[in-house]
Amino acid sequence: PVVTFVGMNVKYDFEVLKVVLACRVGAQKQQLGCYMREYDELVGAIYDCAANPDLWPNALSAIRDSVGGAYALVGYIDTTLMVHGAPPFAVRHNSPWDESWLLKLEALLANLPNGGGLYDTAVDESWTQLTRTKEAEFHTSDFYKYWVKPQGLRDTINTPYLQRPTMTGMLSVPRSATRDPYGDTERRLIERLSPHVRRAMLINDATYKGKMATALYRQVLDNLSVAVF
């Protein structure tokens, strides 16, 4: 499908987009060793989400399984309209998980040990919780006691895929306490996927805002009391 946005010089042909990006994918595959075959499928699944955001749970489930995670979560916050008094605009997608725990996450992030990496790490550069904090120290934190431990989790890969003055996006994959901490191979895979996640999420964002703009224009025209010639 091709999507064109009213009032915006933006057009996406999703099949052409996949072909254009194939050369980049080929170069990145060589760095992923045993994940090479999975990488093709994951990138394809991510760009399917660009055309249909409802597919994100499927793509994130595949990412979760590829690195042995408990679940995978991707989201962003856009604060552009806060200068006009509007609340921040937030989007979140995740593989299946207990929604009640995900709703508690934002309030507990302030208790995350060495959590500054959520915001100051370079785009597409991943870090894991247990490389930032010794595990024994991590277990003494409120974040571990009240959020990590009750869910049976242990480690997390965090990768900022988007950093703009008013937009921040993060891809995170927590891991179960029954598994070893994440290693470099899993981190490399998530880092290679990060640019593709960014493109797909920005296409979603542009599509959504284009639809909202169109709806607003229609509402304004419908409410006009005098004909416009």
Side-chain angles (χ1 to χ4, degrees):
V2 175
V3 178
T4 304
F5 304 121
V6 176
M8 300 173 64
N9 185 25
V10 181
K11 178 182 283 189
Y12 292 110
D13 183 318
F14 295 108
E15 294 304 317
V16 171
L17 179 63
K18 289 183 180 181
V19 173
V20 171
L21 294 169
C23 58
R24 297 187 183 183
V25 171
Q28 292 172 344
K29 282 169 59 180
Q30 297 180 15
Q31 304 178 45
L32 297 175
C34 62
Y35 290 110
M36 189 177 296
R37 292 183 180 179
E38 285 184 275
Y39 184 69
D40 274 339
E41 298 175 1
L42 293 173
V43 171
I46 288 169
Y47 285 113
D48 285 342
C49 299
N52 182 2
D54 291 340
L55 296 177
W56 273 113
N58 296 338
L60 291 167
S61 293
I63 293 172
R64 171 203 65 197
D65 294 345
S66 70
V67 296
Y71 72 90
L73 179 151
V74 65
Y76 69 85
I77 296 177
D78 185 349
T79 61
T80 303
L81 296 180
M82 289 185 68
V83 295
H84 302 294
F89 177 71
V91 171
R92 169 171 59 84
H93 302 287
N94 55 271
S95 59
W97 196 251
D98 187 333
E99 182 68 14
S100 65
W101 282 108
L102 297 179
L103 292 174
K104 297 176 183 177
L105 178 59
E106 183 177 358
L108 290 170
L109 283 177
N111 299 316
L112 179 64
N114 298 313
L118 283 172
Y119 307 103
D120 61 17
T121 303
V123 171
D124 302 331
E125 182 178 311
S126 70
W127 61 279
T128 67
Q129 184 60 56
L130 296 183
T131 57
R132 288 287 182 92
T133 310
K134 292 182 179 180
E135 192 160 17
E137 179 185 349
F138 183 46
H139 287 182
T140 66
S141 68
D142 287 343
F143 185 76
Y144 176 81
K145 293 175 183 177
Y146 299 119
W147 199 81
V148 176
K149 185 178 180 180
Q151 296 179 85
L153 301 175
R154 184 179 187 184
D155 198 8
T156 303
I157 297 178
N158 294 307
T159 308
Y161 67 85
L162 176 64
Q163 287 186 350
R164 294 180 173 179
T166 60
M167 293 182 73
T168 301
M170 183 71 63
L171 171 62
S172 298
V173 191
R175 182 171 252 188
S176 169
T178 61
R179 303 290 300 270
D180 291 335
Y182 283 117
D184 291 341
T185 303
E186 292 90 355
R187 285 184 55 198
R188 281 197 299 271
L189 175 60
I190 296 300
E191 288 175 354
R192 298 303 185 273
L193 294 175
S194 181
H196 305 295
V197 170
R198 175 171 56 256
R199 296 180 189 110
M201 289 291 282
L202 288 176
I203 289 171
N204 289 167
D205 181 67
T207 303
Y208 174 79
K209 290 176 179 175
K211 289 179 179 178
M212 292 297 292
T214 300
L216 179 61
Y217 297 153
R218 287 174 178 169
Q219 183 179 2
V220 170
L221 291 173
D222 290 343
N223 291 334
L224 287 176
S225 58
V226 178
V228 178
F229 297 95

